[in-house]
Amino acid sequence: MNMTMNRATLFTPVQFGAMQLKHRVVMAPLTRSRSIQPDSIPGDLMAEYYAQRASEGGFIISEATNISVTSRGWLGAPGLYSDQQVEGWKKVVSGIHAKGGHMFAQLWHTGRSSHVDLTGGEMPVSASVDPAYWQNPSHLVSASSGWVQPSPHRALAIAEISLIVEDYRRAAERAMDAGFEGVELHAANGYLMDQFLQDGSNKRNDEYGGSIENRSRFLLEVVRAMTSVWGSDRVGVRVGPSGTWNGMSDSNPQALFQYVAEQLNQIGLAYLHIIEPRVKGNVVVLEHQGAIAAEQMRTIFQGKIVAAGGFEPDTAEAILENGTADAVAFGRHFISNPDLPRRLKEGLPLTAYDRNTFYTFDAHGYTDYPFYHENALV
């Protein structure tokens, strides 16, 4: 894949809150399952992987990182709830800083998308109970026994919600201890935040259910907890307007995410990270659909926007040129091209990615993709 189109905008500087970036090629948060088990500790392999993909003035968002044992829902995903995990992340972050790069930690609670093997035996939690979710054979989670259907879940009591808000706040503090430069809230892809936001999964009749304002309450409480640690200019939020992954649906997604964007305007985030609905999980299901979510949110959100979901180098340049986004997050291409910013800037060919190794557990398909000079013709 040889890309020759001019990509001048991708390689202009941009300010994201308190962070000055030298280019707009962002590494998306990518679950890769390589933390050390059973304690979900980032190890040397993860440090090598991230350092490979760091660049001068570039921005990396960490893979989704659990805020507690009971928030876990993916075997091999790292955490930020123990001292050992903080020490592991210090190695990762220092490797990125050594190359002049920047990194935020993405904080994650999987909610109902989990299994008791991962939560320490605790029943997964959600906004409401939906047996059809765990009974659906198309919904799978990565557990010690392989890909399995989720365990039955229960609805959170109101008193428990504040405890999870506190888990996010403590994880944000640990991210600071680990040397990150900020934190991002994962509020997309059908995980706990999304389960409260969208009325296909939220059937509550208390102050966290019913109206759009009530369904957004949990997310806004968590964002404020995170900004209490970092300040608003070092916090980002990732949302997936009209996303359907993990059984998500909403009766009026446009109104819902317009309200969310309006409320986030008042906080003054570093950025809003928007996943296009043409992507379902890690697969582009609507190849020819444009960046409809970013276009909608740009009319409402007043801060910086990171667009994500199925972008190629030339479509990334186009969305920056027309002002719909301020940076573009690449996932699949960053997996197989550790030097992606250089390849895009110089129009070098891209190495193809291998989906079969996205969620495996060793170095193959993780740290063994070549830099350009290693496979260039001599």
Side-chain angles (χ1 to χ4, degrees), residues 272-349:
L272 182 62
H273 189 176
I274 301 167
I275 305 173
E276 291 299 327
R278 65 189 177 203
V279 173
K280 192 169 184 178
N282 62 30
V283 179
V284 179
V285 293
L286 295 170
E287 289 282 356
H288 303 295
Q289 186 180 84
I292 59 173
E295 289 168 1
Q296 175 200 344
M297 298 296 261
R298 176 53 93 192
T299 64
I300 305 154
F301 187 67
Q302 297 165 2
K304 296 294 195 299
I305 287 177
V306 178
F311 284 93
E312 297 295 336
D314 296 342
T315 57
E317 175 66 23
I319 196 174
L320 298 179
E321 281 187 354
N322 67 27
T324 299
D326 301 285
V328 175
F330 291 88
R332 301 161 298 164
H333 291 315
F334 245 124
I335 287 174
S336 56
N337 297 274
D339 52 352
L340 182 65
R342 178 201 169 195
R343 294 197 192 210
L344 298 186
K345 188 174 186 179
E346 298 180 15
L348 301 173

Side-chain angles (χ1 to χ4, degrees), residues 116-310:
V116 291
D117 285 353
L118 298 161
T119 61
E122 294 291 322
M123 181 180 284
V125 297
S126 186
S128 306
V129 176
D130 180 8
Y133 177 77
W134 70 72
Q135 293 167 359
N136 187 332
S138 71
H139 295 150
L140 297 173
V141 297
S142 177
S144 56
S145 56
W147 291 95
V148 297
Q149 288 176 233
S151 295
H153 57 264
R154 64 177 180 83
L156 279 168
I158 288 180
E160 294 177 296
I161 293 174
S162 61
L163 299 178
I164 294 180
V165 174
E166 177 62 13
D167 285 341
Y168 275 104
R169 190 193 65 77
R170 284 200 301 265
E173 288 181 336
R174 289 186 181 276
M176 186 175 285
D177 293 339
F180 288 98
E181 293 163 74
V183 286
E184 176 181 287
L185 174 62
H186 191 351
N189 289 353
Y191 298 115
L192 186 63
M193 290 292 109
D194 216 8
Q195 292 160 30
F196 270 78
L197 281 176
Q198 300 206 49
D199 61 16
S201 51
N202 187 341
K203 306 296 183 183
R204 302 174 73 98
N205 56 12
D206 57 21
E207 58 260 50
Y208 290 93
S211 68
I212 286 174
E213 292 80 5
N214 284 353
R215 286 184 276 125
S216 303
R217 189 183 308 275
F218 190 13
L219 179 148
L220 295 172
E221 288 176 349
V222 170
V223 172
R224 292 188 186 102
M226 291 163 64
T227 59
S228 75
V229 175
W230 281 95
S232 60
D233 61 351
R234 290 191 180 272
V235 173
V237 175
R238 193 181 210 213
V239 294
S242 301
T244 58
W245 178 246
N246 259 330
M248 286 294 100
S249 65
D250 191 81
S251 60
N252 192 346
Q254 186 165 348
L256 169 63
F257 287 96
Q258 176 175 329
Y259 176 80
V260 169
E262 289 169 347
Q263 296 304 302
L264 294 176
N265 277 336
Q266 301 174 29
I267 295 173
L269 297 175
Y271 62 87
L272 182 62
H273 189 176
I274 301 167
I275 305 173
E276 291 299 327
R278 65 189 177 203
V279 173
K280 192 169 184 178
N282 62 30
V283 179
V284 179
V285 293
L286 295 170
E287 289 282 356
H288 303 295
Q289 186 180 84
I292 59 173
E295 289 168 1
Q296 175 200 344
M297 298 296 261
R298 176 53 93 192
T299 64
I300 305 154
F301 187 67
Q302 297 165 2
K304 296 294 195 299
I305 287 177
V306 178

Side-chain angles (χ1 to χ4, degrees), residues 77-89:
L80 259 174
Y81 51 86
S82 75
D83 292 342
Q84 294 88 348
Q85 291 163 348
V86 170
E87 291 305 308
W89 278 118

